[in-house]
Amino acid sequence: MNFTAFYTIVRKEVTRFLRIWSQTLLPPVITQSLYFIIFGTFIGSQISDIQGVSYMAFIIPGLVMMGVINSAFMNVVSSFYSTKFMKNYEEFMVSPASNQAIIFGYVIGGMLRGLLVGLLIFAVSIFFEQPEIANFGIILLFIILTSFVFALGGLINGIFAKNWDDISIFPTFVLTPLIYLGGVFYSIKDLPEVWQTVSKFNPILYMVDGFRYGFYGISDVPVLYSFGLLAGLTILLFGINIYLMRKGIGLKN
Amino acid sequence: MTKKAIEIIGLKKTYKGGTQALKKVDLIIEEGDFFALLGANGAGKTTIIGILTGIVLKTEGHVKIFDIDIEKDHNEAKKLVGVVPQEFNFNIFEKVQDIVIQQAGYFGISRKEAKKKLEPILKILDLWEKRDTQAMKLSGGMKRRLMIARALIHGPKLLILDEPTAGVDVELRHSMWNYLRKINQEGTTILLTTHYIEEAEALCKNVAIIKSGKIIKCAPVRELTQSLDSQSYTIEISGLNGNLELKEFEYSLIDSETLEVVVKKHQSINELIKALDTLNITVNDLTPKENKLERLFLNLVTESKN
């Protein structure tokens, strides 16, 4: 892999999302703060503890993860599609930058935005609830792998996108429902059995659940399953990206 | 023996939907050449460039850049090539220097090193003062020069320019020509596609004419222009009284002060001027009606149509 090319893309991506911070960093922090106020404080005060954790504390990991997923995905899809729209993807297509350098460059750029947004949301959550950390390693592992997976997903979406509508279809109609139904606001153990089973087909449940386990040591599904799923998705999506780049799908004529 | 900068053998390209853009193209461009690829819109010029630079996938054939087969190691070949595309393709929100330094980064050149290379290139292209300006705020000519700076930052041995002076004013076009001549003299091989035939005639040593995906002629510019059997001139005259009779020349009188004359290969302009002088007609100005290459291009394109 060409590390200078990789570093160039990461730097370009980070500069981009920091330059337009009011569009990339601020909105998720404001939205999640409203969730903390409405669901955590106003409504949460009337909801009993879940598995020994207050409702406000319960939703914090899910809301952090929601911000991370959306930001990592959207950063890559919108940035990569813009390069296609302005045709400046040709800058790296005509260069000897390897496919790996391009993929890692965009994905790490997206990951960094996701992680920064997650950190900001977590910082805001401290105003509402004292943080508890059961296993910092698991927290780190889940947030890094999740942001990586969704950044890879964003790149696939960006590669296939042919117009601006195409970059919002997946986030709006697939990602958002999966996040909301992925155990951010509730434990699936409180659902009827049939919905528990249905929920287990939602990959985001495992990411949120594993991440929450790192904070409070509670989980709805075994953490090892969650880790296995994330690792599998990472390999699968990376493989798809490499295949698409090699074939030049969506990029070369 | 001169090395081949580009070697294209049996190159074919069929786009999705069936459009056959290239029909078995063979082309060799030698190192150090200043080569023009002439053709009308849709002739296949940009497809050839796309294949050379990795934007377009070939359907069939072999392409080598400085003896490196692009199928085997396109990345190694790309290191030797700089490309100036037809359309602006940089991020308009980024600053001039960021665009050029990033391009260096894609070629594996560190930021520190790229910054050192940046100044002389931007200065010679008259963009140094604009280095902190967003690309969207540049004039059309500056944008063209920015793309040239971006293509040159990694010091390519082969520079490919796709219609580099389209929409550029005359003064700027000439300053760009001078710069291109200079880097060619310094050893950079240049492949140029253009609509402006005078551009090819002024700059290039060799030329290929492409029509409907086929090379219909490939030869030195001088040889091609010498092969023309006639040249038309527009002549500004004064002193014409009554009818004009120039027996040995084909001509037409546009008005009492303008004459168009065809000078055949065996005739000379001196003979023409002498003939006019005998009739007491003064020649005030004499200009070729069209440049030689343009005539040749039109002849070849028409011939191949027939």
Side-chain angles (χ1 to χ4, degrees):
Chain A
M1 191 173 86
N2 177 341
F3 279 96
T4 312
F6 158 75
Y7 171 73
T8 302
I9 298 174
V10 173
R11 190 188 158 98
K12 177 173 78 90
E13 286 303 289
V14 172
T15 310
R16 188 193 76 93
F17 75 68
L18 289 178
R19 188 181 64 227
I20 50 168
W21 60 273
S22 60
Q23 294 169 47
T24 53
L25 303 178
L26 199 58
V29 175
I30 291 176
T31 310
Q32 306 312 72
S33 301
L34 290 170
Y35 279 123
F36 289 140
I37 295 168
I38 297 165
F39 287 96
T41 311
F42 300 161
I43 300 173
S45 58
Q46 296 164 47
I47 299 173
S48 53
D49 290 358
I50 299 173
Q51 297 171 50
V53 175
S54 75
Y55 187 68
M56 171 60 101
F58 184 85
I59 64 171
I60 287 171
L63 288 173
V64 169
M65 201 54 116
M66 187 193 271
V68 170
I69 290 172
N70 277 326
S71 299
F73 187 92
M74 285 313 295
N75 193 72
V76 182
V77 71
S78 58
S79 174
F80 197 79
Y81 181 67
S82 311
T83 70
K84 280 174 65 177
F85 184 74
M86 288 191 270
K87 287 199 160 213
N88 60 302
Y89 73 99
E90 289 177 1
E91 289 177 342
F92 52 76
M93 297 297 285
V94 302
S95 80
S98 64
N99 291 332
Q100 287 91 331
I102 297 166
I103 294 170
F104 276 117
Y106 274 94
V107 168
I108 300 295
M111 250 181 88
L112 290 174
R113 174 172 152 193
L115 294 176
L116 185 56
V117 164
L119 192 69
L120 291 170
I121 295 168
F122 182 70
V124 172
S125 76
I126 295 171
F127 291 102
F128 297 89
E129 188 76 32
Q130 277 299 101
E132 262 179 55
I133 292 173
N135 187 327
F136 189 66
I138 290 200
I139 291 175
L140 219 53
L141 183 71
F142 272 80
I143 202 164
I144 287 174
L145 277 181
T146 305
S147 57
F148 192 69
V149 160
F150 281 93
L152 282 167
L155 187 55
I156 295 172
N157 193 164
I159 288 171
F160 279 112
K162 290 193 172 115
N163 53 53
W164 289 106
D165 290 339
D166 289 348
I167 71 167
S168 60
I169 289 172
F170 186 80
T172 308
F173 297 105
V174 181
L175 201 53
T176 306
L178 286 180
I179 294 172
Y180 279 85
L181 298 170
V184 171
F185 296 103
Y186 53 83
S187 161
I188 62 159
K189 284 181 179 162
D190 297 331
L191 297 177
E193 205 162 315
V194 62
W195 285 111
Q196 283 191 35
T197 312
V198 170
S199 296
K200 284 177 183 168
F201 286 98
N202 179 356
I204 290 174
L205 170 79
Y206 298 85
M207 301 171 194
V208 171
D209 195 67
F211 189 55
R212 188 180 287 127
Y213 179 84
F215 284 92
Y216 312 117
I218 57 168
S219 65
D220 289 348
V221 284
V223 179
L224 207 59
Y225 284 14
S226 302
F227 172 71
L229 179 84
L230 261 175
L233 279 173
T234 305
I235 294 164
L236 176 72
L237 296 185
F238 184 72
I240 293 172
N241 271 300
I242 283 282
Y243 174 80
L244 294 173
M245 282 282 181
R246 235 177 239 169
K247 289 274 169 191
I249 293 167
L251 298 172
K252 292 183 186 178
N253 276 309
Chain B
M1 205 179 113
T2 325
K3 228 177 165 185
K4 289 169 194 158
I6 296 174
E7 186 179 4
I8 296 173
I9 299 165
L11 187 63
K12 289 184 186 176
K13 173 67 191 177
T14 308
Y15 285 104
K16 261 185 196 170
T19 310
Q20 218 182 335
L22 298 178
K23 301 164 188 166
K24 207 168 180 288
V25 167
D26 297 309
L27 186 67
I28 287 172
I29 299 174
E30 293 192 338
E31 188 172 12
D33 203 349
F34 202 136
F35 194 97
L37 193 55
L38 296 180
N41 281 333
K45 306 184 297 285
T46 303
T47 302
I48 292 179
I49 288 179
I51 292 170
L52 287 169
T53 55
I55 305 283
V56 177
L57 295 166
K58 64 187 170 67
T59 310
E60 232 182 282
H62 299 281
V63 178
K64 283 184 183 174
I65 296 171
F66 291 102
D67 288 336
I68 303 167
D69 192 326
I70 64 162
E71 203 156 14
K72 288 183 186 145
D73 197 351
H74 207 164
N75 279 351
E76 204 50 40
K78 283 175 182 177
K79 285 181 190 169
L80 307 171
V81 182
V83 60
V84 181
Q86 197 172 335
E87 291 172 32
F88 301 131
N89 70 341
F90 43 75
N91 186 335
I92 54 168
F93 300 106
E94 284 173 354
K95 291 177 187 169
V96 168
Q97 63 173 332
D98 291 340
I99 290 170
V100 182
I101 290 172
Q102 269 163 30
Q103 190 67 10
Y106 298 146
F107 279 84
I109 299 167
S110 69
R111 282 184 71 78
K112 203 175 157 192
E113 210 182 316
K115 278 184 177 172
K116 277 188 216 158
K117 290 170 180 270
L118 181 77
E119 191 174 339
I121 290 179
L122 288 192
K123 276 187 173 163
I124 206 154
L125 287 162
D126 210 10
L127 283 171
W128 181 244
E129 302 301 319
K130 297 282 178 186
R131 64 190 181 279
D132 286 318
T133 306
Q134 265 187 327
M136 69 161 92
K137 292 176 184 157
L138 299 178
S139 68
M142 287 175 185
K143 286 175 182 163
R144 290 259 162 229
R145 280 179 280 152
L146 168 58
M147 293 205 295
I148 295 178
R150 188 184 59 178
L152 290 173
I153 191 70
H154 62 285
K157 282 174 78 180
L158 169 66
L159 180 64
I160 300 175
L161 302 115
D162 194 2
E163 309 275 354
T165 54
V168 169
D169 65 52
V170 180
E171 194 189 342
L172 180 62
R173 188 180 305 166
H174 283 269
S175 81
M176 277 170 70
W177 285 3
N178 288 337
Y179 183 63
L180 293 175
R181 274 191 201 105
K182 184 177 167 281
I183 58 169
N184 177 244
Q185 280 159 8
E186 286 166 0
T188 308
T189 308
I190 299 181
L191 167 61
L192 173 93
T193 77
T194 182
H195 274 110
Y196 300 116
I197 296 178
E198 76 270 21
E199 188 162 77
E201 196 168 353
L203 292 172
C204 300
K205 296 171 195 160
N206 294 293
V207 64
I209 296 173
I210 183 167
K211 183 174 180 278
S212 309
K214 275 185 180 169
I215 303 281
I216 54 171
K217 189 85 185 175
C218 184
V221 174
R222 191 178 285 258
E223 191 181 296
L224 284 180
T225 51
Q226 280 173 354
S227 71
L228 277 173
D229 60 357
S230 65
Q231 169 75 46
S232 299
Y233 293 91
T234 305
I235 307 171
E236 301 292 325
I237 52 167
S238 57
L240 175 66
N241 294 310
N243 288 337
L244 176 72
E245 271 196 45
L246 283 169
K247 282 178 190 163
E248 279 138 37
F249 294 92
E250 264 178 51
Y251 67 95
S252 62
L253 197 60
I254 307 299
D255 56 46
S256 63
E257 291 179 343
T258 317
L259 182 67
E260 272 182 21
V261 185
V262 177
V263 179
K264 296 264 169 67
K265 210 175 178 180
H266 65 274
Q267 297 172 317
S268 73
I269 298 171
N270 278 355
E271 287 169 43
L272 171 66
I273 294 172
K274 221 179 262 176
L276 289 166
D277 194 43
T278 318
L279 298 169
N280 290 326
I281 293 170
T282 311
V283 174
N284 298 321
D285 191 22
L286 183 144
T287 48
K289 193 183 163 197
E290 61 203 352
N291 68 50
K292 290 181 177 180
L293 199 57
E294 185 171 336
R295 161 64 76 89
L296 192 98
F297 175 74
L298 293 171
N299 286 352
L300 284 167
V301 170
T302 318
E303 265 172 35
S304 80
K305 210 182 270 178
N306 296 335

